[in-house]
Amino acid sequence: MLRNDLRNIAIIAHVDHGKTTLVDAMLKQSGIFRANEHVEERVMDSNALERERGITILAKNTAVMHKDTKINILDTPGHADFGGEVERVLTMVDGVLLLVDAYEGPMPQTKYVLRKALEQHLKPIVVINKIDRPDQRVEEVIDEVLDLFIELGADDDQLEFPVVLTSARNGIAKLTMEEESDNLEALFKVILENIPAPDVEVDAPLQMLVNTLDYDDYVGRIVVGRVIRGTIHNGETITLMDEEGERKAKIGRLYTYEGLKRAETQEVGAGDIVALIGLADANIGDTIADAESPEKLKGISIDEPTLSMVFSVNNSPFAGREGEYVTSRHLRDRLFKEIKTNVSMRLEETESPDAFIVSGRGELHLSVLIETMRREGYELQVGKPKVIMHHDETGTLQEPMEALTIDVPQEFMGAVMEGLGLRKAELTNMTEMAGYLRMEFVIPARGLIGFRNQFLTDTKGNGVMNHVFAGYADYKGEIPGRTRGSLVAFENGETTSYGIGNAQERGNMFIIPGEQVYEGQIIGENSRDDDMDVNPCKKKHVSNMRASGSDDTIRLIPPKTFSLEQALEHINDDELVEVTPKNIRMRKKILD
Ligand code: GTP
């Protein structure tokens, strides 16, 4: 049965190209809202951290109505560090909207998701937004998108993508610049005509894949996926199938997406995307199948965690106690809650009730959690990231490897190769693209620690990197290079100051000039540079220092009453980094 009343699309957009504005405008014009009702909430990026870092961490769903057709719009994550999130979103849709700013053109950061979408033979629609900009270059931007599609291996059908020109801000869409328009009708029309309606059997035995997990304090685990076959009913008994086996379970309430909300419903037919509660132990990749004649769907593999960190209660003398949540109970509850939805994250308890080992898919994965917790008011300490090692059957030490793909303009090739060489990466493939080089490496997961920031600096933000787990291999030996988070001493006339080699972005840090400990604060918007090699201070008293590689200023607040000795006493434990709601302070060994 062709479900002409339904379309499922994913939206791919670079930060600031207008995704939120466009979805808001579509909602306003979609008839779900009364004419005088405003879409107050920003739809897609509700997580403050996502907004600041400019990355979308969790995929979120919205649905708009156009006449009798519901369009489910799924957001795609901005990068691929978190275990197959992109693939999981793309398996739920039949087409993608690539949203591109009419002046900026396609940006390298969207390439990873776009490539995945093209590989899955999804139908793309190109939306050139902000055509009201006086500096718009619509024609050129369309050519740039075409070049990008060719580079990414689009098939012939995909290369004939429809183009819609929009001003999301003004709520208008049209097919040519000359056309008159005062609404988004042209966009809706192109979506309905080009994105295939799901062609499904609604009367067959139920099959649904668990694609995403969400969590709510009141209702617990929320399972999200697309009904592949059949119809799912409120309260029905189903068979839940995973790799190990199958068992009967009862569905709780069902919800579909309606505008910004989830709306409760009695049944959901094949083709639609459903959120449901009641299956407290369903996992990503499980099949929800008919009770009587269950058939399993092909599961989804989730990348292994490769990096772990100790999270512990902050018991140090530097503890700020600014936090709302400071006890081991708080920490424990929060971490257990996290792993309910963060599918490639693992949690282990330790002998101490105050410390937990958290494992994830790389530094960014873990640092997003730390930062989110910090903002929520947790005060904690985290250890140095450690890769998760194994021994093979013969007892040989093995370490996790990652397949790293890098796209950079030619001019940065040298810098990137040099950085990666030191990190024991091996080049496995290199392809020349239009103005770009794609380099593929196999690198020990250890080698990626601290690499993202170095890479952003080395390529002046023009590079794109992604990595996927590539199995275990024999340990490659020490990786030389900079010690992450070391205190670095700077001489400047009468003053010697110690800056933190690698402070976290937009956090606080310690500067220790002479005998006193200053608390510094890294300020500035949207800094992605957490590589704070602090330059020698220009003045006698430390003020107004600049962090290399970024425009961020380090502001110093009045000295605390610690002496240098006192500070060093606590610094010689090279494991700990303190994270408090207001500060991120790092205490590390002084370099000789
Ligand atoms: P993130 O939420 O940061 O991922 O960005 P986004 O892609 O959702 O972009 P958002 O909708 O927040 O828009 C970014 C900026 O572009 C905002 O200042 C918008 O007002 C502006 N903007 C969006 N659409 C248009 C448009 O059609 N024309 C113009 N001139 N500006 C627009």
Side-chain angles (χ1 to χ4, degrees):
M1 183 178 115
L2 196 64
R3 299 253 348 232
N4 213 15
D5 59 329
L6 205 57
R7 296 293 187 282
N8 296 312
I9 54 175
I11 195 160
I12 304 174
H14 185 257
V15 188
D16 273 352
H17 283 194
K19 178 182 65 195
T20 308
T21 312
L22 185 71
V23 175
D24 282 0
M26 289 172 85
L27 280 167
K28 276 186 205 150
Q29 292 185 25
S30 77
I32 286 184
F33 297 91
R34 290 187 301 276
N36 61 353
E37 190 177 3
H38 291 292
V39 184
E40 298 283 346
E41 215 179 320
R42 306 273 291 167
V43 190
M44 291 225 164
D45 300 332
S46 45
N47 180 325
L49 176 58
E50 290 187 6
R51 297 197 58 74
E52 264 178 51
R53 288 209 180 193
I55 56 176
T56 303
I57 296 157
L58 293 168
K60 286 174 217 79
N61 307 338
T62 311
V64 304
M65 278 306 280
H66 184 257
K67 301 196 177 120
D68 298 326
T69 306
K70 177 163 89 169
I71 306 167
N72 282 312
I73 305 175
L74 278 57
D75 198 6
T76 56
H79 58 80
D81 213 24
F82 308 152
E85 186 97 41
V86 173
E87 282 92 336
R88 288 190 277 119
V89 172
L90 294 179
T91 55
M92 288 193 275
V93 299
D94 302 301
V96 292
L97 282 191
L98 174 67
L99 185 69
V100 183
D101 182 301
Y103 169 73
E104 288 192 358
M107 303 296 269
Q109 287 79 355
T110 56
K111 269 191 189 179
Y112 176 80
V113 183
L114 189 58
R115 186 184 334 143
K116 288 277 168 200
L118 295 174
E119 279 169 9
Q120 297 196 10
H121 301 287
L122 292 169
K123 175 86 189 187
I125 292 174
V126 174
V127 178
I128 310 286
N129 187 37
K130 308 198 190 180
I131 55 167
D132 56 288
R133 278 180 76 146
D135 53 1
Q136 58 84 8
R137 9 175 238 110
V138 168
E139 291 307 317
E140 281 162 72
V141 167
I142 295 172
D143 285 345
E144 289 165 16
V145 173
L146 182 63
D147 287 345
L148 180 64
F149 277 30
I150 293 170
E151 179 198 320
L152 296 177
D155 61 35
D156 290 349
D157 189 39
Q158 289 169 331
L159 287 178
E160 293 188 7
F161 53 85
V163 178
V164 185
L165 312 177
T166 61
S167 169
R169 182 180 278 175
N170 301 330
I172 62 168
K174 48 194 184 179
L175 301 181
T176 61
M177 285 303 272
E178 294 72 39
E179 225 171 281
E180 293 284 321
S181 166
D182 60 2
N183 57 40
L184 289 170
E185 196 53 37
L187 174 62
F188 284 116
K189 192 155 179 267
V190 166
I191 293 174
L192 296 190
E193 283 173 2
N194 289 275
I195 305 298
D199 193 2
V200 288
E201 301 169 66
V202 280
D203 298 323
L206 173 68
Q207 271 188 321
M208 166 182 163
L209 193 65
V210 177
N211 265 291
T212 315
L213 297 177
D214 206 342
Y215 182 82
D216 179 281
D217 278 338
Y218 294 102
V219 298
R221 177 163 293 196
I222 302 171
V223 165
V224 181
R226 171 167 164 167
V227 182
I228 303 292
R229 203 178 70 180
T231 299
I232 191 164
H233 302 93
N234 195 346
E236 84 175 304
T237 300
I238 51 95
T239 309
L240 187 64
M241 312 173 84
D242 62 17
E243 292 310 320
E244 263 98 68
E246 57 179 69
R247 70 205 131 83
K248 295 277 190 284
K250 197 166 165 336
I251 301 284
R253 274 173 280 157
L254 298 178
Y255 302 83
T256 52
Y257 294 91
E258 218 172 80
L260 305 173
K261 296 182 231 99
R262 291 187 177 120
E264 199 174 336
T265 182
Q266 291 306 310
E267 57 172 49
V268 180
D272 206 352
I273 292 166
V274 60
L276 59 91
I277 59 175
L279 300 181
D281 51 0
N283 282 307
I284 302 264
D286 291 358
T287 302
I288 294 173
D290 187 76
E292 259 68 70
S293 39
E295 268 177 79
K296 196 168 176 315
L297 291 161
K298 190 170 161 283
I300 311 172
S301 65
I302 290 170
D303 281 354
E304 292 263 318
T306 51
L307 208 68
S308 71
M309 270 186 190
V310 174
F311 281 45
S312 54
V313 171
N314 192 355
N315 291 322
S316 92
F318 280 152
R321 296 280 168 234
E322 294 104 343
E324 202 178 323
Y325 308 113
V326 297
T327 68
S328 54
R329 179 87 218 174
H330 289 140
L331 186 60
R332 186 176 193 284
D333 288 353
R334 178 63 182 82
L335 292 174
F336 272 95
K337 183 175 166 185
E338 184 67 24
I339 57 163
K340 288 188 171 136
T341 55
N342 205 330
V343 295
S344 38
M345 202 166 257
R346 306 269 182 282
L347 180 63
E348 285 165 63
E349 302 194 65
T350 64
E351 279 167 17
S352 157
D354 285 351
F356 301 85
I357 300 169
V358 182
S359 311
R361 277 294 305 144
E363 254 184 313
L364 185 59
H365 193 194
L366 291 169
S367 69
V368 165
L369 173 62
I370 295 167
E371 182 68 6
T372 305
M373 288 176 67
R374 189 176 74 85
R375 280 163 199 252
E376 289 169 359
Y378 287 83
E379 181 160 331
L380 68 152
Q381 289 187 336
V382 297
K384 243 193 210 157
K386 289 198 184 98
V387 297
I388 299 165
M389 301 288 219
H390 277 182
H391 287 277
D392 70 1
E393 312 82 57
T394 61
T396 311
L397 185 61
Q398 294 208 308
E399 64 175 323
M401 305 295 288
E402 297 279 323
L404 172 70
T405 306
I406 280 183
D407 289 345
V408 281
Q410 303 262 4
E411 64 206 272
F412 301 113
M413 173 182 155
V416 170
M417 294 284 270
E418 194 180 326
L420 282 169
L422 291 171
R423 292 164 178 273
K424 305 222 178 229
E426 277 173 36
L427 186 70
T428 54
N429 198 15
M430 183 149 77
T431 330
E432 216 179 309
M433 311 283 186
Y436 270 88
L437 273 184
R438 162 150 324 139
M439 295 185 274
E440 289 159 73
F441 299 87
V442 174
I443 181 170
R446 281 179 300 146
L448 287 177
I449 297 177
F451 178 67
R452 187 176 292 272
N453 300 303
Q454 183 189 340
F455 177 71
L456 288 172
T457 310
D458 285 353
T459 62
K460 302 194 166 65
N462 287 296
V464 187
M465 61 174 274
N466 277 292
H467 55 96
V468 292
F469 180 61
Y472 275 80
D474 289 355
Y475 177 64
K476 301 273 179 292
E478 289 263 308
I479 292 182
R482 307 178 314 170
T483 318
R484 202 185 117 90
S486 295
L487 275 169
V488 192
F490 297 104
E491 296 284 346
N492 182 34
E494 315 101 285
T495 333
T496 301
S497 69
Y498 299 90
I500 305 288
N502 221 328
Q504 293 279 346
E505 61 190 278
R506 291 165 58 69
N508 283 17
M509 59 187 293
F510 288 127
I511 310 280
I512 311 169
E515 297 295 304
Q516 278 177 313
V517 177
Y518 286 76
E519 214 180 14
Q521 195 176 39
I522 306 159
I523 45 178
E525 285 304 309
N526 280 328
S527 165
R528 282 155 195 262
D529 188 359
D530 67 14
D531 189 325
M532 308 298 299
D533 287 321
V534 176
N535 292 335
C537 35
K538 299 216 171 60
K539 298 183 187 152
K540 264 192 203 156
H541 52 280
V542 192
S543 66
N544 216 7
M545 300 175 84
R546 294 218 141 235
S548 63
S550 86
D551 289 328
D552 283 354
T553 310
I554 297 172
R555 184 176 59 199
L556 293 177
I557 58 181
K560 290 236 163 146
T561 49
F562 308 125
S563 70
L564 180 57
E565 275 74 22
Q566 275 174 325
L568 294 187
E569 247 178 63
H570 299 293
I571 284 160
N572 64 21
D573 172 3
D574 73 344
E575 286 290 296
L576 293 174
V577 176
E578 286 176 44
V579 183
T580 73
K582 291 203 197 116
N583 312 320
I584 293 183
R585 303 176 189 136
M586 306 180 82
R587 303 178 285 116
K588 293 288 154 120
K589 276 198 181 108
I590 300 249
L591 293 181
D592 297 325

